[in-house]
Amino acid sequence: MMQYVMMQYVIMLLLPLLPLLPRPLLLPAATPPPPLLLPLPLLLPLPLLLPPLLLPLLPLPLLLSPTPLPLLPLPLLLSPTPLPLRPLPLLLPPPPLSLLPPLPLPLPQPLLPPQLHSLGPSMSDGKAEHHPPGEPAAEPDGAAASRARLRLAVVCSSNQNRSMEAHSILRKRGFSVRSFGTGTYVRLPGPTPDKPNVYDFQTTYEQMYKDLVQKDKDLYTQNGILHMLERNKRIKPKPERFQNCHDVFDLILTCEERVYDQVVEDLNSREQVTCQPVHVINLDIQDDDDEAILGAILLCELCQCILLVDDMEDELDELLQDFEEKCGRPFLHTVCFY
């Protein structure tokens, strides 16, 4: 088999030399050419003419040839005869993957910590502005100054739940806010509706907390009173009564119509000195945890909308009307003077 294959390649290599032979030596075209038998010296340069892939298939004597390959002119290398296809067994298999050099792997990109994903370029100079994790990015000075200039007061009955929830949210948003109650005493729910816990306005939140823990810690933990007092202690030391405060405010927010009437009555009973206007706005909020949170959010959104008004004296009524349509709750509004 090996000799037959070698003879085929020898014939293919010698076919371009046939036109150089004398005419009588050429066989008629009608008959196929007989197999060409070449002496051994002509086969010695064969390893230099065969493709490199066939060299391992040649016998060892044929590989040892001292005869150099003659330089042939270019026309002799061009053969018009198409070469036959190589048999499949002559194709060498690819080298095993274990012998190939390993490809370089891309270097992993470092992961950013979650705190840095919120960092973004500044609109002013294109440089990144960093702020502490968990805190909002710094606002423009104009927005923060507007919140600080708007003097707010939030008023409910006992300065415990509704007014303190709004106080907490508004303070976190950067508003200058205080909270009050209008009742004669501070009342907290007791074991039954007809037995409330009553304190005066001089009693601190810490004293109320300790008193309720001694009375029934499980009960007041379950109904959320102790949790509410813990929040209040973080905001200010004790409740305040609105009638005892004579500070000046730009906007007073009340959480109940009865409280609204008491605030307006107290303001109108005072002697007018500066005639500075103060807007009193009421939003009815039920005295429970869920409604206190929802009402505080609505009051905060209302204050943010008021900051966008050019003239609060002329545009506040229209703003409240639009706000009523959006939230589905009525508002009361009046203007008093100091």
Side-chain angles (χ1 to χ4, degrees), residues 156-164 183-201 203-213 215 219-220 223-233 239 287 289:
C156 67
S157 179
S158 297
N159 196 199
Q160 291 286 349
N161 184 27
R162 296 168 290 180
S163 61
M164 292 299 290
T184 306
Y185 297 97
V186 175
R187 299 177 182 272
L188 293 176
T192 59
D194 58 339
K195 294 181 179 180
N197 294 285
V198 181
Y199 306 95
D200 57 35
F201 276 89
T203 306
T204 65
Y205 294 121
E206 179 66 26
Q207 293 171 344
M208 299 178 191
Y209 182 89
K210 293 180 180 181
D211 181 62
L212 296 180
V213 168
K215 290 180 178 179
L219 171 63
Y220 296 112
N223 62 13
I225 299 300
L226 294 182
H227 175 73
M228 179 188 67
L229 290 174
E230 288 179 352
R231 177 205 61 196
N232 295 348
K233 290 189 299 181
D287 195 4
D289 295 340

Side-chain angles (χ1 to χ4, degrees), residues 44 80 90 123 132 134 162 237 242 266 273 311 322 329 332 335:
L44 292 178
L90 296 179
M123 296 298 293
R162 296 168 290 180
F242 179 78
D266 180 73
V273 179
D311 189 352
D322 295 339
R329 297 193 180 196
L332 298 176
V335 180

Side-chain angles (χ1 to χ4, degrees), residues 68-146:
L69 179 65
L71 297 178
L72 299 178
L74 183 60
L76 298 182
L77 298 178
L78 301 177
S79 174
T81 307
L83 298 179
L85 298 177
R86 296 181 182 178
L88 187 59
L90 296 179
L91 298 178
L92 297 179
L97 295 178
S98 60
L99 300 179
L100 296 177
L103 296 176
L105 298 177
L107 296 177
Q109 297 294 331
L111 297 178
L112 293 177
Q115 295 87 347
L116 299 182
H117 288 293
S118 60
L119 299 179
S122 173
M123 296 298 293
S124 58
D125 55 2
K127 300 180 181 179
E129 295 182 356
H130 301 273
H131 54 273
E135 296 184 5
E139 292 182 306
D141 296 338
S146 299

Side-chain angles (χ1 to χ4, degrees), residues 42-317:
L42 294 178
L43 296 177
L44 292 178
L46 181 61
L48 301 176
L49 298 177
L50 293 178
L53 295 178
L54 298 178
L55 294 180
L57 303 178
L58 295 178
L60 185 60
L62 293 180
L63 295 176
L64 303 176
S65 174
T67 307
L69 179 65
L71 297 178
L72 299 178
L74 183 60
L76 298 182
L77 298 178
L78 301 177
S79 174
T81 307
L83 298 179
L85 298 177
R86 296 181 182 178
L88 187 59
L90 296 179
L91 298 178
L92 297 179
L97 295 178
S98 60
L99 300 179
L100 296 177
L103 296 176
L105 298 177
L107 296 177
Q109 297 294 331
L111 297 178
L112 293 177
Q115 295 87 347
L116 299 182
H117 288 293
S118 60
L119 299 179
S122 173
M123 296 298 293
S124 58
D125 55 2
K127 300 180 181 179
E129 295 182 356
H130 301 273
H131 54 273
E135 296 184 5
E139 292 182 306
D141 296 338
S146 299
R147 288 186 172 95
R149 287 196 301 267
L150 185 64
R151 295 166 293 184
L152 294 177
V154 188
V155 188
C156 67
S157 179
S158 297
N159 196 199
Q160 291 286 349
N161 184 27
R162 296 168 290 180
S163 61
M164 292 299 290
E165 184 66 37
H167 188 160
S168 175
I169 293 180
L170 288 169
R171 188 179 68 168
K172 291 177 181 178
R173 297 294 180 88
F175 287 95
S176 175
V177 58
R178 293 180 62 182
S179 58
F180 302 94
T182 57
T184 306
Y185 297 97
V186 175
R187 299 177 182 272
L188 293 176
T192 59
D194 58 339
K195 294 181 179 180
N197 294 285
V198 181
Y199 306 95
D200 57 35
F201 276 89
Q202 299 301 320
T203 306
T204 65
Y205 294 121
E206 179 66 26
Q207 293 171 344
M208 299 178 191
Y209 182 89
K210 293 180 180 181
D211 181 62
L212 296 180
V213 168
Q214 293 177 355
K215 290 180 178 179
D216 194 338
K217 181 178 180 180
D218 294 336
L219 171 63
Y220 296 112
T221 300
Q222 183 178 1
N223 62 13
I225 299 300
L226 294 182
H227 175 73
M228 179 188 67
L229 290 174
E230 288 179 352
R231 177 205 61 196
N232 295 348
K233 290 189 299 181
R234 294 191 296 266
I235 298 176
K236 62 181 183 178
K238 64 181 182 180
E240 298 176 83
R241 191 166 185 262
F242 179 78
Q243 290 85 341
N244 298 334
C245 176
H246 296 279
D247 294 337
V248 177
F249 299 98
D250 301 311
L251 180 63
I252 299 176
L253 304 172
T254 61
C255 305
E256 185 180 343
E257 185 173 357
R258 178 175 61 88
V259 175
Y260 171 82
D261 294 336
Q262 292 173 345
V263 169
V264 173
E265 180 182 1
D266 180 73
L267 290 174
N268 290 332
S269 64
R270 300 179 184 181
E271 182 181 0
Q272 295 183 359
V273 179
T274 62
C275 294
Q276 178 180 340
V278 52
H279 295 266
V280 184
I281 299 176
N282 178 74
L283 173 65
D284 284 332
I285 302 174
Q286 296 181 8
D287 195 4
D288 59 64
D289 295 340
D290 296 336
E291 280 294 317
I293 296 175
L294 178 58
I297 294 174
L298 291 176
L299 292 178
C300 184
E301 292 181 356
L302 175 62
C303 293
Q304 290 177 333
C305 293
I306 291 176
L307 291 178
L308 303 177
V309 174
D310 295 332
D311 189 352
M312 188 168 61
E313 306 297 331
D314 297 334
E315 303 180 26
L316 185 56
D317 288 335

